[in-house]
């Protein structure tokens, strides 16, 4: 099942990167062929906005395709991949991310690493989109029972009863269930 999912994620990542990126590049080239000096002032503003939106869409597709199945995860492991992700987020985000991985010297099975990476990515996206936080702390600790993952922020938190509403949180529950793990949202 994991191998099949991995093959499908790789296919989707390639499709996003190759096809959608190519389409966005073509749209960008078409837009760039317009000389904004010949446009009225309101249309110049629209032109600038479209150009920025296309660049943002291209960057988002690139991020998604790389994060669906990061090649670094297979080569370097979870710890290094998370370090790289946090570095990239700290350069490109208004939120300050920190990472603590004190006891994870040895690689975990790739299925566990991939699921943990996907969970961290989903929780980071939730923090960026919904938390209104300016700090996010990620910690991954090996315990005598397994692995403890904590993603905490200084944002507004979840309203009571929202734990199972979103598809992202449901995906986290499903991933953890497949690993025999649990998910807890403490009341803050």
């Amino acid at each position: 099942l994991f191998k099949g999912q991995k093959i499908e994620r790789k296919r989707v990542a390639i499709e996003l990167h190759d096809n959608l990126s190519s389409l966005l590049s073509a749209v960008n080239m078409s837009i760039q062929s317009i000389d904004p000096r010949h446009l009225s002032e309101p249309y110049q503003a629209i032109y600038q906005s479209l150009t920025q939106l296309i660049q943002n869409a291209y960057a988002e597709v690139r991020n998604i395709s790389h994060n669906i199945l990061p090649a670094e995860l297979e080569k370097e492991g979870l710890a290094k991949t998370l370090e790289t992700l946090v570095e990239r987020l700290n350069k490109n985000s208004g939120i300050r991310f920190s990472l603590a991985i004190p006891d994870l010297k040895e690689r975990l099975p790739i299925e566990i690493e991939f699921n943990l990476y996907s969970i961290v990515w989903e929780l980071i996206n939730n923090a960026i989109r919904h938390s209104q936080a300016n700090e996010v702390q990620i910690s991954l600790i090996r315990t005598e029972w397994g692995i403890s993952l904590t993603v905490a922020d200084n944002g507004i938190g979840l309203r009571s009863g929202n734990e199972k509403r979103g598809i992202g949180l449901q995906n986290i529950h499903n991933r953890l269930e497949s690993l025999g793990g649990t998910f807890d949202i403490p009341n803050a």
Side-chain angles (χ1 to χ4, degrees), residues 28 47 75 110 149:
N28 191 39
Y47 171 84
K75 292 179 195 168
I110 189 66
L149 167 65

Side-chain angles (χ1 to χ4, degrees), residues 49-116:
S49 177
L50 282 173
T51 302
Q52 186 63 47
L53 286 170
I54 291 168
Q55 290 171 356
N56 290 348
Y58 183 77
E60 189 67 21
V61 166
R62 188 173 190 279
N63 282 338
I64 291 169
S65 67
H66 286 277
N67 287 314
I68 285 175
L69 187 61
E72 185 177 27
L73 186 59
E74 284 189 85
K75 292 179 195 168
E76 302 290 335
L78 181 62
K80 179 67 176 152
T81 303
L82 288 176
E83 288 169 5
T84 302
L85 175 63
V86 166
E87 287 173 19
R88 194 170 64 230
L89 288 167
N90 281 328
K91 289 179 186 173
N92 299 321
S93 171
I95 299 173
R96 178 74 187 141
F97 290 86
S98 63
L99 176 66
I101 309 177
D103 299 322
L104 207 59
K105 306 290 185 246
E106 299 158 16
R107 296 277 313 260
L108 300 168
I110 189 66
E111 298 88 3
I112 293 173
E113 287 190 342
F114 178 77
N115 280 303
L116 287 172

Side-chain angles (χ1 to χ4, degrees), residues 99-141:
L99 176 66
I101 309 177
D103 299 322
L104 207 59
K105 306 290 185 246
E106 299 158 16
R107 296 277 313 260
L108 300 168
I110 189 66
E111 298 88 3
I112 293 173
E113 287 190 342
F114 178 77
N115 280 303
L116 287 172
Y117 176 83
S118 297
I119 291 166
V120 170
W121 182 245
E122 181 62 39
L123 292 170
I124 286 171
N125 276 322
N126 283 347
I128 291 169
R129 292 183 179 139
H130 307 297
S131 74
Q132 300 175 16
N134 60 14
E135 291 181 18
V136 175
Q137 300 87 32
I138 304 158
S139 73
L140 202 60
I141 300 169

Side-chain angles (χ1 to χ4, degrees), residues 28 30-37 39-54:
N28 191 39
S30 295
I31 291 279
Q32 295 298 327
S33 69
I34 297 171
D35 187 350
R37 295 176 295 179
L39 300 174
S40 66
E41 201 168 306
Y43 283 111
Q44 285 182 9
I46 292 170
Y47 171 84
Q48 292 301 324
S49 177
L50 282 173
T51 302
Q52 186 63 47
L53 286 170
I54 291 168

